[in-house]
Amino acid sequence: MNRVPLYVAFLLPLLMVGCETLRGFERAEMATSDVRLARTELVGTQEQLDRAVASLNALVAAEAERQPRFQSFSEQVDTLDRQVDRLRTQVEEMEAQVDAYFTAWEAEIDQMESEALRNRAMRRRASSIDSYQVTMAAYQDVDVILTPLVSKIRDQQRYLGSDLTASGVGSVSDIIEEVRQQEHTAQQEIEAAILEFNRIASELSTAAAE
């Protein structure tokens, strides 16, 4: 039977106590860090979406040598898929961290003996939650348009991969124009979300404003 080393048995309770006594402002900074990471992924998505659509435009405009342009477009689409996955993963991690912060805040409020301070803290927490929900609504606006747009761009890759002739490219000119228009809208929504993520990071942070 394996035995736990004595130094591990001694340190484990101390580590557990350290986790349990994490202060509210420390949780707030952890949440802020994840918000900023999500904001970085939003910027990355904005830039990669622009590159993917630009490469599609270059392919459509080509009168010759479409194959290397198609290869470039395909690489940009694959990169866009990975970038969107990173964005969604980071936002999920951010949500978990922010939820943990608000849950811990509620637990601290429940332990307050002063009714006046407890009520004031409850109002502050409710206000912060409302503010955070505005940020998440901005992100949802991005996701609503980004999901079908990326799917449409991926379908262009599949379609042109089988028919890269001049007539084949011309046959989807209307759909390509839809992609351009939707990309413009998506860029506006992403920009609005970036501003929201900046705002909520500033509100959650206990550090001095930069």
mmCIF file of all heavy atoms in Angstrom, residues 99-125:
data_model
loop_
_atom_site.group_PDB
_atom_site.id
_atom_site.type_symbol
_atom_site.label_atom_id
_atom_site.label_comp_id
_atom_site.label_asym_id
_atom_site.label_seq_id
_atom_site.Cartn_x
_atom_site.Cartn_y
_atom_site.Cartn_z
ATOM 1 N N ASP A 99 -18.540 33.839 -12.084
ATOM 2 C CA ASP A 99 -19.592 33.224 -11.256
ATOM 3 C C ASP A 99 -19.061 32.864 -9.876
ATOM 4 O O ASP A 99 -19.757 33.047 -8.857
ATOM 5 C CB ASP A 99 -20.148 31.969 -11.942
ATOM 6 C CG ASP A 99 -21.045 32.299 -13.129
ATOM 7 O OD1 ASP A 99 -21.433 33.473 -13.272
ATOM 8 O OD2 ASP A 99 -21.353 31.384 -13.918
ATOM 9 N N ALA A 100 -17.818 32.356 -9.832
ATOM 10 C CA ALA A 100 -17.216 32.006 -8.544
ATOM 11 C C ALA A 100 -17.041 33.256 -7.690
ATOM 12 O O ALA A 100 -17.243 33.220 -6.463
ATOM 13 C CB ALA A 100 -15.871 31.317 -8.771
ATOM 14 N N TYR A 101 -16.675 34.345 -8.317
ATOM 15 C CA TYR A 101 -16.509 35.612 -7.597
ATOM 16 C C TYR A 101 -17.831 36.089 -7.007
ATOM 17 O O TYR A 101 -17.908 36.445 -5.819
ATOM 18 C CB TYR A 101 -15.941 36.662 -8.549
ATOM 19 C CG TYR A 101 -16.034 38.081 -8.047
ATOM 20 C CD1 TYR A 101 -15.460 38.459 -6.829
ATOM 21 C CD2 TYR A 101 -16.698 39.055 -8.788
ATOM 22 C CE1 TYR A 101 -15.550 39.772 -6.370
ATOM 23 C CE2 TYR A 101 -16.787 40.365 -8.341
ATOM 24 C CZ TYR A 101 -16.213 40.718 -7.133
ATOM 25 O OH TYR A 101 -16.312 42.006 -6.682
ATOM 26 N N PHE A 102 -18.893 36.078 -7.803
ATOM 27 C CA PHE A 102 -20.190 36.535 -7.306
ATOM 28 C C PHE A 102 -20.759 35.602 -6.235
ATOM 29 O O PHE A 102 -21.410 36.048 -5.293
ATOM 30 C CB PHE A 102 -21.184 36.662 -8.469
ATOM 31 C CG PHE A 102 -20.957 37.871 -9.340
ATOM 32 C CD1 PHE A 102 -20.936 37.762 -10.721
ATOM 33 C CD2 PHE A 102 -20.758 39.124 -8.772
ATOM 34 C CE1 PHE A 102 -20.726 38.882 -11.524
ATOM 35 C CE2 PHE A 102 -20.543 40.244 -9.557
ATOM 36 C CZ PHE A 102 -20.525 40.119 -10.946
ATOM 37 N N THR A 103 -20.490 34.311 -6.370
ATOM 38 C CA THR A 103 -20.947 33.342 -5.362
ATOM 39 C C THR A 103 -20.236 33.572 -4.034
ATOM 40 O O THR A 103 -20.862 33.558 -2.961
ATOM 41 C CB THR A 103 -20.704 31.905 -5.858
ATOM 42 O OG1 THR A 103 -21.462 31.677 -7.047
ATOM 43 C CG2 THR A 103 -21.124 30.891 -4.797
ATOM 44 N N ALA A 104 -18.915 33.780 -4.102
ATOM 45 C CA ALA A 104 -18.145 34.038 -2.882
ATOM 46 C C ALA A 104 -18.569 35.355 -2.250
ATOM 47 O O ALA A 104 -18.629 35.475 -1.015
ATOM 48 C CB ALA A 104 -16.649 34.053 -3.208
ATOM 49 N N TRP A 105 -18.890 36.343 -3.062
ATOM 50 C CA TRP A 105 -19.348 37.639 -2.562
ATOM 51 C C TRP A 105 -20.654 37.466 -1.792
ATOM 52 O O TRP A 105 -20.832 38.020 -0.698
ATOM 53 C CB TRP A 105 -19.541 38.593 -3.736
ATOM 54 C CG TRP A 105 -19.724 40.040 -3.372
ATOM 55 C CD1 TRP A 105 -19.864 40.559 -2.114
ATOM 56 C CD2 TRP A 105 -19.786 41.145 -4.272
ATOM 57 N NE1 TRP A 105 -20.020 41.924 -2.179
ATOM 58 C CE2 TRP A 105 -19.969 42.315 -3.488
ATOM 59 C CE3 TRP A 105 -19.704 41.268 -5.654
ATOM 60 C CZ2 TRP A 105 -20.087 43.574 -4.063
ATOM 61 C CZ3 TRP A 105 -19.808 42.531 -6.222
ATOM 62 C CH2 TRP A 105 -20.002 43.673 -5.433
ATOM 63 N N GLU A 106 -21.542 36.664 -2.329
ATOM 64 C CA GLU A 106 -22.816 36.411 -1.653
ATOM 65 C C GLU A 106 -22.599 35.732 -0.307
ATOM 66 O O GLU A 106 -23.263 36.060 0.694
ATOM 67 C CB GLU A 106 -23.706 35.538 -2.536
ATOM 68 C CG GLU A 106 -25.086 35.261 -1.948
ATOM 69 C CD GLU A 106 -25.949 34.432 -2.861
ATOM 70 O OE1 GLU A 106 -25.410 33.559 -3.573
ATOM 71 O OE2 GLU A 106 -27.181 34.633 -2.866
ATOM 72 N N ALA A 107 -21.656 34.796 -0.271
ATOM 73 C CA ALA A 107 -21.359 34.100 0.985
ATOM 74 C C ALA A 107 -20.816 35.066 2.032
ATOM 75 O O ALA A 107 -21.146 34.961 3.223
ATOM 76 C CB ALA A 107 -20.356 32.975 0.729
ATOM 77 N N GLU A 108 -19.999 36.013 1.606
ATOM 78 C CA GLU A 108 -19.468 37.017 2.527
ATOM 79 C C GLU A 108 -20.586 37.910 3.064
ATOM 80 O O GLU A 108 -20.610 38.255 4.247
ATOM 81 C CB GLU A 108 -18.414 37.876 1.816
ATOM 82 C CG GLU A 108 -17.106 37.164 1.539
ATOM 83 C CD GLU A 108 -16.319 36.896 2.809
ATOM 84 O OE1 GLU A 108 -16.567 37.577 3.828
ATOM 85 O OE2 GLU A 108 -15.460 36.007 2.790
ATOM 86 N N ILE A 109 -21.506 38.266 2.196
ATOM 87 C CA ILE A 109 -22.636 39.111 2.615
ATOM 88 C C ILE A 109 -23.477 38.403 3.672
ATOM 89 O O ILE A 109 -23.909 39.017 4.657
ATOM 90 C CB ILE A 109 -23.510 39.480 1.397
ATOM 91 C CG1 ILE A 109 -22.721 40.399 0.451
ATOM 92 C CG2 ILE A 109 -24.805 40.145 1.822
ATOM 93 C CD1 ILE A 109 -23.425 40.671 -0.867
ATOM 94 N N ASP A 110 -23.689 37.113 3.493
ATOM 95 C CA ASP A 110 -24.506 36.338 4.432
ATOM 96 C C ASP A 110 -23.908 36.313 5.832
ATOM 97 O O ASP A 110 -24.627 36.112 6.821
ATOM 98 C CB ASP A 110 -24.679 34.902 3.921
ATOM 99 C CG ASP A 110 -25.584 34.825 2.692
ATOM 100 O OD1 ASP A 110 -26.355 35.791 2.462
ATOM 101 O OD2 ASP A 110 -25.520 33.810 1.967
ATOM 102 N N GLN A 111 -22.602 36.516 5.921
ATOM 103 C CA GLN A 111 -21.943 36.478 7.227
ATOM 104 C C GLN A 111 -21.914 37.838 7.926
ATOM 105 O O GLN A 111 -21.508 37.929 9.083
ATOM 106 C CB GLN A 111 -20.518 35.956 7.067
ATOM 107 C CG GLN A 111 -20.437 34.514 6.560
ATOM 108 C CD GLN A 111 -19.006 34.045 6.405
ATOM 109 O OE1 GLN A 111 -18.150 34.352 7.236
ATOM 110 N NE2 GLN A 111 -18.733 33.301 5.348
ATOM 111 N N MET A 112 -22.351 38.887 7.247
ATOM 112 C CA MET A 112 -22.335 40.216 7.848
ATOM 113 C C MET A 112 -23.422 40.344 8.913
ATOM 114 O O MET A 112 -24.570 39.944 8.701
ATOM 115 C CB MET A 112 -22.549 41.293 6.772
ATOM 116 C CG MET A 112 -21.417 41.415 5.784
ATOM 117 S SD MET A 112 -21.744 42.714 4.553
ATOM 118 C CE MET A 112 -20.297 42.538 3.503
ATOM 119 N N GLU A 113 -23.049 40.898 10.045
ATOM 120 C CA GLU A 113 -24.011 41.084 11.130
ATOM 121 C C GLU A 113 -24.765 42.398 10.996
ATOM 122 O O GLU A 113 -25.916 42.509 11.421
ATOM 123 C CB GLU A 113 -23.287 41.014 12.478
ATOM 124 C CG GLU A 113 -22.667 39.648 12.757
ATOM 125 C CD GLU A 113 -22.025 39.582 14.132
ATOM 126 O OE1 GLU A 113 -22.181 40.539 14.908
ATOM 127 O OE2 GLU A 113 -21.370 38.564 14.430
ATOM 128 N N SER A 114 -24.143 43.388 10.418
ATOM 129 C CA SER A 114 -24.782 44.694 10.247
ATOM 130 C C SER A 114 -25.783 44.638 9.088
ATOM 131 O O SER A 114 -25.412 44.381 7.943
ATOM 132 C CB SER A 114 -23.730 45.771 9.960
ATOM 133 O OG SER A 114 -24.343 46.970 9.529
ATOM 134 N N GLU A 115 -27.035 44.882 9.415
ATOM 135 C CA GLU A 115 -28.064 44.851 8.378
ATOM 136 C C GLU A 115 -27.843 45.960 7.347
ATOM 137 O O GLU A 115 -28.041 45.762 6.145
ATOM 138 C CB GLU A 115 -29.449 44.997 9.003
ATOM 139 C CG GLU A 115 -30.581 44.915 7.979
ATOM 140 C CD GLU A 115 -31.947 45.002 8.620
ATOM 141 O OE1 GLU A 115 -32.022 45.078 9.864
ATOM 142 O OE2 GLU A 115 -32.946 44.978 7.871
ATOM 143 N N ALA A 116 -27.410 47.121 7.816
ATOM 144 C CA ALA A 116 -27.192 48.253 6.907
ATOM 145 C C ALA A 116 -26.098 47.927 5.896
ATOM 146 O O ALA A 116 -26.251 48.169 4.692
ATOM 147 C CB ALA A 116 -26.823 49.498 7.706
ATOM 148 N N LEU A 117 -24.971 47.366 6.387
ATOM 149 C CA LEU A 117 -23.894 47.012 5.481
ATOM 150 C C LEU A 117 -24.281 45.847 4.580
ATOM 151 O O LEU A 117 -23.909 45.808 3.399
ATOM 152 C CB LEU A 117 -22.635 46.660 6.272
ATOM 153 C CG LEU A 117 -21.805 47.830 6.801
ATOM 154 C CD1 LEU A 117 -20.613 47.322 7.599
ATOM 155 C CD2 LEU A 117 -21.334 48.714 5.650
ATOM 156 N N ARG A 118 -25.036 44.909 5.145
ATOM 157 C CA ARG A 118 -25.464 43.762 4.353
ATOM 158 C C ARG A 118 -26.349 44.216 3.179
ATOM 159 O O ARG A 118 -26.175 43.787 2.050
ATOM 160 C CB ARG A 118 -26.217 42.768 5.238
ATOM 161 C CG ARG A 118 -26.548 41.452 4.514
ATOM 162 C CD ARG A 118 -26.975 40.369 5.492
ATOM 163 N NE ARG A 118 -28.153 40.760 6.262
ATOM 164 C CZ ARG A 118 -28.141 41.040 7.559
ATOM 165 N NH1 ARG A 118 -27.003 40.976 8.245
ATOM 166 N NH2 ARG A 118 -29.254 41.380 8.192
ATOM 167 N N ASN A 119 -27.273 45.109 3.464
ATOM 168 C CA ASN A 119 -28.166 45.612 2.407
ATOM 169 C C ASN A 119 -27.381 46.403 1.355
ATOM 170 O O ASN A 119 -27.648 46.302 0.154
ATOM 171 C CB ASN A 119 -29.258 46.488 3.009
ATOM 172 C CG ASN A 119 -30.269 45.683 3.801
ATOM 173 O OD1 ASN A 119 -30.412 44.476 3.593
ATOM 174 N ND2 ASN A 119 -30.965 46.338 4.720
ATOM 175 N N ARG A 120 -26.422 47.176 1.838
ATOM 176 C CA ARG A 120 -25.623 47.958 0.897
ATOM 177 C C ARG A 120 -24.783 47.045 0.014
ATOM 178 O O ARG A 120 -24.668 47.274 -1.202
ATOM 179 C CB ARG A 120 -24.721 48.933 1.663
ATOM 180 C CG ARG A 120 -23.971 49.899 0.775
ATOM 181 C CD ARG A 120 -23.285 50.991 1.575
ATOM 182 N NE ARG A 120 -24.259 51.797 2.325
ATOM 183 C CZ ARG A 120 -23.949 52.878 3.029
ATOM 184 N NH1 ARG A 120 -22.681 53.286 3.081
ATOM 185 N NH2 ARG A 120 -24.870 53.546 3.676
ATOM 186 N N ALA A 121 -24.214 46.018 0.612
ATOM 187 C CA ALA A 121 -23.399 45.064 -0.148
ATOM 188 C C ALA A 121 -24.263 44.306 -1.160
ATOM 189 O O ALA A 121 -23.820 44.032 -2.282
ATOM 190 C CB ALA A 121 -22.715 44.085 0.792
ATOM 191 N N MET A 122 -25.479 43.975 -0.758
ATOM 192 C CA MET A 122 -26.385 43.275 -1.674
ATOM 193 C C MET A 122 -26.706 44.141 -2.891
ATOM 194 O O MET A 122 -26.760 43.650 -4.027
ATOM 195 C CB MET A 122 -27.672 42.883 -0.940
ATOM 196 C CG MET A 122 -27.499 41.753 0.062
ATOM 197 S SD MET A 122 -28.983 41.482 1.088
ATOM 198 C CE MET A 122 -30.192 41.048 -0.158
ATOM 199 N N ARG A 123 -26.897 45.435 -2.667
ATOM 200 C CA ARG A 123 -27.174 46.341 -3.792
ATOM 201 C C ARG A 123 -25.959 46.468 -4.702
ATOM 202 O O ARG A 123 -26.099 46.497 -5.930
ATOM 203 C CB ARG A 123 -27.598 47.716 -3.259
ATOM 204 C CG ARG A 123 -28.984 47.743 -2.627
ATOM 205 C CD ARG A 123 -29.478 49.162 -2.424
ATOM 206 N NE ARG A 123 -28.642 49.923 -1.499
ATOM 207 C CZ ARG A 123 -28.836 49.977 -0.181
ATOM 208 N NH1 ARG A 123 -29.830 49.295 0.386
ATOM 209 N NH2 ARG A 123 -28.041 50.703 0.592
ATOM 210 N N ARG A 124 -24.767 46.551 -4.098
ATOM 211 C CA ARG A 124 -23.543 46.653 -4.893
ATOM 212 C C ARG A 124 -23.347 45.389 -5.735
ATOM 213 O O ARG A 124 -22.996 45.465 -6.917
ATOM 214 C CB ARG A 124 -22.331 46.846 -3.972
ATOM 215 C CG ARG A 124 -22.213 48.231 -3.393
ATOM 216 C CD ARG A 124 -21.663 49.223 -4.432
ATOM 217 N NE ARG A 124 -20.392 48.766 -4.958
ATOM 218 C CZ ARG A 124 -20.113 48.654 -6.263
ATOM 219 N NH1 ARG A 124 -21.022 48.955 -7.168
ATOM 220 N NH2 ARG A 124 -18.922 48.233 -6.665
ATOM 221 N N ARG A 125 -23.571 44.236 -5.131
ATOM 222 C CA ARG A 125 -23.417 42.971 -5.862
ATOM 223 C C ARG A 125 -24.431 42.881 -6.997
ATOM 224 O O ARG A 125 -24.095 42.484 -8.120
ATOM 225 C CB ARG A 125 -23.583 41.797 -4.896
ATOM 226 C CG ARG A 125 -23.493 40.427 -5.570
ATOM 227 C CD ARG A 125 -23.618 39.300 -4.543
ATOM 228 N NE ARG A 125 -23.605 37.995 -5.171
ATOM 229 C CZ ARG A 125 -24.681 37.395 -5.675
ATOM 230 N NH1 ARG A 125 -25.878 38.012 -5.602
ATOM 231 N NH2 ARG A 125 -24.594 36.201 -6.232
#
